[in-house]
């Protein structure tokens, strides 16, 4: 049996505020986070259907490595979701205020 | 009479969330913002007494251009303060939650 792809994620208490803010500071990634907040877990392809695959991978990796998103493989799909509870536990109010501020 | 140095600042409604988040995403700038939040208006030198002048200028300019800080000249000094009211009006909760999250 082939090993499934493993994605490395920071533990909740390893999530760093500057890295989270950096992840959210790029308009395309901020739009991805808005979509994840609205839709729950989505196929990563749907986060940027018009993007080059390398660009999409770059941004989803950065969201994962910063602790903003959780990524898992399912078959050939790569499913991604927002680590909302972890972010709220670690930095209360940051994600919600950023999402509210991004709605304009 | 020589013109005083003029510093360009974005209007409150021109302040962009991604740029604010980027400004706050760098540990040194985040520490500067924490000091401004605690101390009010400070001489820019005091934000980074051990930093090379060019590094200090880079970071204070970025804080000013992103709308996070207000900069004014007084004699030969460069005084800098947090645009707390403007940020709170524009993106309620973002600055406060980031400052709270940075206290650890």
């Amino acid at each position: 049996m082939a090993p499934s792809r493993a994605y490395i994620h920071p533990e909740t208490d390893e999530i760093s505020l500057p890295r989270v803010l950096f992840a959210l500071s790029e308009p395309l990634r901020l739009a991805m986070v808005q979509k994840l907040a609205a839709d729950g877990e989505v196929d990563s392809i749907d986060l940027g259907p018009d993007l080059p695959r390398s660009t999409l991978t770059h941004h989803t990796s950065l969201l994962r490595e910063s602790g903003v998103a959780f990524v898992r493989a399912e078959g050939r799909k790569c499913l991604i979701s927002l680590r909302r509870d972890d972010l709220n536990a670690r930095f209360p109010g940051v994600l919600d205020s950023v999402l509210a501020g991004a709605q304009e």
Side-chain angles (χ1 to χ4, degrees), chain A:
Chain A
M1 187 172 144
S4 63
R5 282 167 289 163
Y7 294 101
I8 294 171
H9 296 85
E11 297 291 334
T12 304
D13 63 3
E14 291 171 342
I15 299 176
S16 138
L17 182 59
R19 294 194 74 188
V20 169
L21 297 173
F22 182 76
L24 299 172
S25 75
E26 204 282 321
L28 187 56
R29 286 195 298 271
L30 185 52
M32 289 175 171
V33 168
Q34 286 181 281
K35 185 170 172 62
L36 293 172
D39 294 358
E41 190 176 58
V42 305
D43 189 329
S44 68
I45 294 289
D46 295 329
L47 287 183
D50 302 326
L51 294 178
R53 190 65 190 244
S54 60
T55 303
L56 183 63
T57 301
H58 167 73
H59 289 304
T60 56
S61 297
L62 201 147
L63 290 173
R64 173 177 54 78
E65 290 162 2
S66 63
V68 171
F70 184 82
V71 180
R72 67 184 181 95
E74 191 175 271
R76 306 185 73 154
K77 282 187 186 175
C78 168
L79 297 174
I80 180 162
S81 57
L82 196 54
R83 292 180 66 178
R84 196 161 205 160
D85 290 346
D86 292 336
L87 291 170
N88 286 342
R90 187 88 175 95
F91 305 117
V94 169
L95 181 65
D96 287 342
S97 62
V98 167
L99 286 170
Q103 279 189 317
E104 56 170 44

